[in-house]
Amino acid sequence: MQTHKTFILQPASPTPASGCAGGLRSSCASGGSDNAQENFSPEIWDKIKNHPCYNEGAHQHFARMHVAVAPACNIQCNYCNRKFDCSNESRPGVVSEKLTPEQAAKKVLAVASKIPQMSVVGIAGPGDALANGDKTFDTFEMIAAAAPHIKLCLSTNGLLLPEHVDRIQALNIEHVTITINMVDPEIGQHIYPWIFYKNRRWTGIEASRILHEQQMKGLEMLAARGVLCKVNSVMIPGINDEHLVEVNKAVKARGAFIHNIMPLISAPEHGTVFGLQGIPSPSAQALKNLQDQCEGNMKVMRHCRQCRADAVGMLGEDRNAEFTQEKVDTMEISYDASVHLDYLKRVEARRQGSAAQALSALSEITSGNEDISILVAVTSKGDGKISQHFGHAKEFQIFEASAKGAKFIGHRRVDLYCQGGYDNEEVLPNILRALNDCHAVLAAKIGACPQHELKASGIDPVDSLAFEYIEAGVLGYFKTYLAKIASGEIAHTPRGDAQIRQGAFVSAA
Ligand code: CLF
Ligand code: SF4
């Protein structure tokens, strides 16, 4: 498959992770978000507004599902091993069940009838979508006929892309991801031991040269047809980490819309070549530095959850176990598109409310503080609000608050603190480590014990902003923080991984 495969960093680390096709405008008016509607042309906005991967703002409202109809692959990546399966493992390329196109289409209707947030169906393996072209396109045809409002999304290694561009366009597949890890076959030979192309196996530099040429050609052809292309790249320390800046420039020049640079997930037990060779995952800081370097060139995705090839639900959650083939077969499926369309209207109202409140909060940030920025962690149930209890969080969204606005910079996965009836105090140190560069945590409720421990680690626990819209809440907290500085109550202290403050708390109440 593509690079919906490989990767995850552990909780203690910050989470790893156009030419904009003429669609990205320069202004930035919604509380600092560069994912706001006004930053895109109407045509582009229409394509991305409900897509949880292409639009960071949409992942708070919309879900995706993958149907695992594509088992075979035509190349070998040294970070991939599709034999490994574990239901607790969120790792691209991993699936519990492979489906026929008919089973997949039925599963899509079953999920759509239960999860009105579901806006996109993707085919992301477990092998390569285009190495299984007939199954992939048959599946999309059935879904398009049964549920035409659901967006279709395809992910591929790109080897067969030029041959399939016409069919992709004919089926109105508006979103295609290509995994591109190199634009230099010298480097590619260390990532790809072989490819299978035109009825023969190719190895060495020649294999990477063919793959590279096909990827570039396919990307150019799709961009010329108005298909929004996302490029996924796996950051592999010592192999292509420095080279990915070149990749970024090359894909931008060929019309890619967004670049998703993800960390290699590497562990010997996964049985991958890189895992067995002991090549490490990149540090969170190295990943962020690379993403920052590339961001000036094009839109960069920072909220990727490195999904399984059968993932179902909001990004960061997996509800696939509710929709096994056995369960779908006995399920009463009553799919009603109007339920989803009603949900779209509610999201639209929510978005407008959120944007208005964020703008209002931003207007209250006093001038003269342009050099101050802080990180704020937020936990949400996926409704765009600060709506989750601290103890129920499996991940925190991290925002950088500054006079420019509230900017999403990534997420941090953690173990559950509340285990239904008792608090798992053993996980608290890991949560504190995951958040140790944040000035505050905003949650719907924070219990006395975690409040105490957060304060002792120099992190302000805030539940007085419960159920506020996230960006407005983050900016509200920042405003109070600045006020405390102005009054002399606290001094601004930047936080880094190794820097744990004592004291100096602000309350946003
Ligand atoms: Fe799936 Fe990929 Fe489409 Fe999204 S996932 S096929 S573009 S609908 Fe999204 Fe998952 Fe990251 Fe992929 S979070 S691994 S980027
Ligand atoms: Fe995807 Fe194939 Fe590479 Fe595995 S070997 S990551 S299935 S392209």
Side-chain angles (χ1 to χ4, degrees):
M1 120 172 186
Q2 62 300 342
T3 297
H4 283 125
K5 244 164 232 273
T6 354
F7 348 97
I8 273 187
L9 286 191
Q10 295 307 308
S13 305
T15 310
S18 6
C20 286
L24 195 62
R25 293 183 183 155
S26 58
S27 70
C28 184
S30 263
S33 168
D34 62 358
N35 287 290
Q37 178 173 357
E38 52 271 26
N39 296 329
F40 299 93
S41 66
E43 303 75 41
I44 300 288
W45 179 248
D46 195 50
K47 287 179 180 172
I48 68 168
K49 66 181 178 186
N50 302 339
H51 196 303
C53 304
Y54 278 65
N55 177 359
E56 181 268 313
H59 94 279
Q60 295 173 355
H61 307 288
F62 292 100
R64 52 75 184 102
M65 72 175 288
H66 291 163
V67 284
V69 297
C73 191
N74 47 9
I75 71 174
Q76 179 61 54
C77 306
N78 279 336
Y79 49 74
C80 177
N81 176 9
R82 299 191 296 287
K83 292 188 188 124
F84 187 98
D85 181 21
C86 165
S87 60
N88 293 319
E89 178 80 359
S90 178
R91 195 164 59 96
V94 172
V95 293
S96 297
E97 291 178 322
K98 292 169 188 138
L99 304 177
T100 64
E102 292 75 16
Q103 289 169 329
K106 189 172 176 189
K107 182 174 176 178
V108 168
L109 293 184
V111 171
S113 69
K114 302 271 190 230
I115 305 180
Q117 296 97 322
M118 210 271 286
S119 61
V120 181
V121 174
I123 296 182
D128 180 72
L130 297 182
N132 304 263
D134 287 344
K135 289 181 189 160
T136 292
F137 292 120
D138 285 354
T139 303
F140 279 144
E141 268 171 20
M142 284 185 233
I143 296 168
H149 68 276
I150 292 177
K151 289 185 184 303
L152 307 178
C153 197
L154 181 154
S155 190
T156 176
N157 60 41
L159 182 63
L160 296 182
L161 197 44
E163 288 88 325
H164 288 293
V165 161
D166 289 342
R167 195 145 183 217
I168 287 170
Q169 188 179 24
L171 267 171
N172 198 27
I173 298 169
E174 292 178 339
H175 301 86
V176 172
T177 294
I178 314 166
T179 295
I180 301 179
N181 296 317
M182 56 86 200
V183 289
D184 178 354
E186 290 273 353
I187 292 173
Q189 66 180 325
H190 303 295
I191 302 171
Y192 307 104
W194 56 260
I195 68 167
F196 194 82
Y197 183 63
K198 297 208 170 182
N199 299 318
R200 64 161 279 204
R201 182 182 287 244
W202 306 75
T203 60
I205 289 188
E206 192 60 4
S208 287
R209 186 189 59 74
I210 294 167
L211 179 62
H212 164 62
E213 288 173 1
Q214 290 290 96
Q215 289 175 333
M216 296 297 116
K217 192 171 164 194
L219 171 57
E220 280 177 350
M221 292 170 80
L222 285 177
R225 286 164 165 79
V227 176
L228 286 191
C229 294
K230 175 160 69 62
V231 169
N232 280 1
S233 298
V234 184
M235 180 181 180
I236 309 163
I239 305 275
N240 72 347
D241 43 355
E242 293 173 5
H243 176 62
L244 286 180
V245 176
E246 289 309 308
V247 172
N248 177 266
K249 287 180 189 154
V251 300
K252 183 194 175 194
R254 287 167 178 81
F257 176 72
I258 184 169
H259 196 182
N260 176 23
I261 302 174
M262 304 181 288
L264 173 74
I265 292 175
S266 184
E269 60 269 28
H270 294 154
T272 63
V273 171
F274 288 152
L276 294 169
Q277 285 176 349
I279 293 187
S281 301
S283 73
Q285 194 57 50
L287 178 75
K288 181 175 182 301
N289 290 347
L290 179 58
Q291 290 172 333
D292 288 348
Q293 256 182 291
C294 294
E295 190 162 51
N297 286 333
M298 66 191 291
K299 194 167 157 57
V300 166
M301 180 181 186
R302 295 175 190 258
H303 63 286
C304 176
R305 304 305 204 272
Q306 298 174 284
C307 312
R308 291 166 58 96
D310 57 6
V312 173
M314 307 292 280
L315 302 191
E317 73 174 3
D318 194 352
R319 297 178 59 179
N320 187 44
E322 296 171 41
F323 300 96
T324 61
Q325 200 48 46
E326 195 182 348
K327 287 180 182 164
V328 169
D329 279 344
T330 55
M331 209 178 262
E332 201 171 306
I333 299 173
S334 58
Y335 170 64
D336 179 357
S338 67
V339 176
H340 177 72
L341 298 175
D342 285 347
Y343 178 77
L344 292 185
K345 284 186 197 149
R346 290 203 300 279
V347 168
E348 206 43 53
R350 214 191 280 162
R351 272 179 159 154
Q352 286 179 13
S354 173
Q357 288 193 15
L359 265 183
S360 163
L362 189 61
S363 70
E364 292 175 16
I365 303 291
T366 49
S367 59
N369 295 299
E370 286 70 21
D371 54 342
I372 296 181
S373 67
I374 59 173
L375 297 188
V376 176
V378 176
T379 173
S380 172
K381 281 182 176 171
D383 53 3
K385 296 185 175 177
I386 303 163
S387 54
Q388 192 169 49
H389 287 207
F390 177 88
H392 297 164
K394 288 184 181 166
E395 67 173 35
F396 290 88
Q397 298 178 36
I398 310 297
F399 286 81
E400 186 176 63
S402 73
K404 291 184 203 152
K407 179 183 177 189
F408 175 86
I409 61 157
H411 61 277
R412 313 266 168 89
R413 291 180 184 166
V414 297
D415 290 327
L416 262 187
Y417 175 68
C418 176
Q419 295 287 346
Y422 75 96
D423 293 339
N424 186 359
E425 288 174 17
E426 285 179 9
V427 306
L428 209 42
N430 274 344
I431 297 176
L432 295 174
R433 249 183 325 126
L435 305 180
N436 71 358
D437 53 352
C438 297
H439 275 69
V441 174
L442 314 187
K445 182 83 191 151
I446 307 178
C449 175
Q451 284 223 21
H452 177 79
E453 296 298 325
L454 284 162
K455 283 182 183 176
S457 296
I459 303 169
D460 197 3
V462 179
D463 54 15
S464 55
L465 292 165
F467 304 107
E468 296 277 341
Y469 285 117
I470 291 174
E471 291 186 358
V474 168
L475 291 170
Y477 177 82
F478 186 58
K479 182 181 95 169
T480 312
Y481 180 81
L482 293 178
K484 298 268 179 178
I485 294 172
S487 71
E489 193 173 336
I490 61 169
H492 173 57
T493 315
R495 289 177 63 88
D497 282 355
Q499 186 171 16
I500 304 297
R501 292 178 314 161
Q502 297 293 330
F505 304 107
V506 295
S507 163

